[in-house]
Amino acid sequence: MATPHNQAEKGMIAKTVLMPGDPLRAKYVAEHYLENVTCFNEVRGMLGYTGTYEGHRVSVMGSGMGMPSIGIYSYELYHFYDVDSIIRIGSAGSLQPDVNLMDIVIGQGACTDSRYAYQYELPGTFAPIADFGLLEEAVKAARDLGANVKVGNVLSGDVFYNNYTKVNEKWASMGVLCIDMESAGLYMNAAAAHKKALTILTISDHLFKEGQLTPEQRQTGFGQMMEIALKTAAAEDGH
């Protein structure tokens, strides 16, 4: 039952999927953290793998950048492959002075400047939030690992190179911790499908300070985030 974007057959994908934006990060997770790995997707280079972590079956698959991309892949996972939970593992730009490079941010909620929610024809503004059970497990795992973790609102923006130069200051003034480009779309897809979602982010750059991670660090240097996500996935599989 392959889709236009995923060549996997039903049953090849675990109930919980980790989703980095970069498919090469998915490959890295599979090769360095999972056992008994099989590749279930190579369509459009969006690599997907299934294996085991501490005896628990887990999949990892790239999502691409932005809500249109993660929207497609997460929709298909939820609706066509019986996936129950998706945990996004990504990078983000900090908006706050106390959220620094390599800190972990767990997205309790996801603000957005996108019109992604228009499709649901709601008579108001939808507030995309994480699944509390996944959030609770991730915070516990982060603390057990000694990670410098913050929990709160993130912003999922549609524009990376924004012509509106004051936009970051506006969101920062509302206490938003950092910016990614995917979480709100993932959370909305999960809500509409009555499934679970969580975003765990590593700060790769700061919007108001000097310094940023290299592309290589973004791809392979997010060990704490990956372990938090994997331990959360294992706990979810054990329920």
Side-chain angles (χ1 to χ4, degrees):
M1 59 155 290
T3 74
H5 317 96
N6 195 329
Q7 69 197 65
E9 296 298 322
K10 203 164 185 178
M12 295 178 71
I13 303 176
K15 291 292 186 180
T16 298
V17 179
L18 275 54
M19 291 202 87
D22 185 352
L24 292 180
R25 194 181 304 148
K27 182 181 181 184
Y28 182 88
V29 172
E31 292 177 346
H32 291 80
Y33 292 93
L34 301 184
E35 297 179 337
N36 306 311
V37 175
T38 58
C39 179
F40 64 77
N41 188 62
E42 295 179 326
V43 176
R44 294 175 177 258
M46 199 58 72
L47 302 172
Y49 303 87
T50 297
T52 58
Y53 175 78
E54 297 182 348
H56 296 277
R57 194 164 183 256
V58 179
S59 293
V60 57
M61 180 182 182
S63 72
M65 290 187 288
M67 281 175 271
S69 187
I70 198 171
I72 291 170
Y73 291 107
S74 62
Y75 184 97
E76 292 182 351
L77 291 173
Y78 285 138
H79 291 273
F80 303 145
Y81 290 103
D82 294 332
V83 168
D84 291 331
S85 304
I86 296 176
I87 302 172
R88 165 164 156 68
I89 47 174
S91 58
S94 174
L95 291 171
Q96 300 298 331
D98 61 341
V99 181
N100 297 303
L101 290 184
M102 297 302 293
D103 283 356
I104 305 293
V105 172
I106 300 177
Q108 183 176 17
C111 309
T112 188
D113 56 15
S114 169
R115 292 191 67 248
Y116 194 88
Y118 88 92
Q119 62 185 300
Y120 306 118
E121 300 182 303
L122 298 167
T125 302
F126 183 74
I129 59 171
D131 175 77
F132 181 75
L134 292 177
L135 175 67
E136 190 174 37
E137 289 291 350
V139 171
K140 180 180 182 298
R143 288 174 176 163
D144 288 346
L145 290 167
N148 189 10
V149 63
K150 305 286 195 305
V151 180
N153 252 338
V154 304
L155 167 67
S156 298
D158 265 350
V159 182
F160 189 87
Y161 298 107
N162 202 319
N163 198 52
Y164 176 34
T165 57
K166 300 292 185 182
V167 64
N168 295 331
E169 295 174 16
K170 296 289 188 182
W171 288 108
S173 73
M174 294 298 289
V176 176
L177 299 177
C178 62
I179 300 177
D180 81 340
M181 299 186 74
E182 293 81 23
S183 297
L186 173 62
Y187 285 5
M188 284 188 257
N189 271 7
H194 305 288
K195 299 293 182 78
K196 302 177 183 181
L198 179 70
T199 283
I200 306 172
L201 301 167
T202 298
I203 298 301
S204 58
D205 57 283
H206 202 292
L207 280 302
F208 303 111
K209 292 183 185 179
E210 293 290 327
Q212 61 181 5
L213 302 185
T214 66
E216 291 76 17
Q217 286 174 312
R218 290 171 186 248
Q219 186 175 308
T220 63
F222 293 170
Q224 272 194 328
M225 173 177 66
M226 295 171 187
E227 288 189 51
I228 293 166
L230 286 162
K231 290 184 182 298
T232 304
E236 181 71 7
D237 184 58
H239 288 164

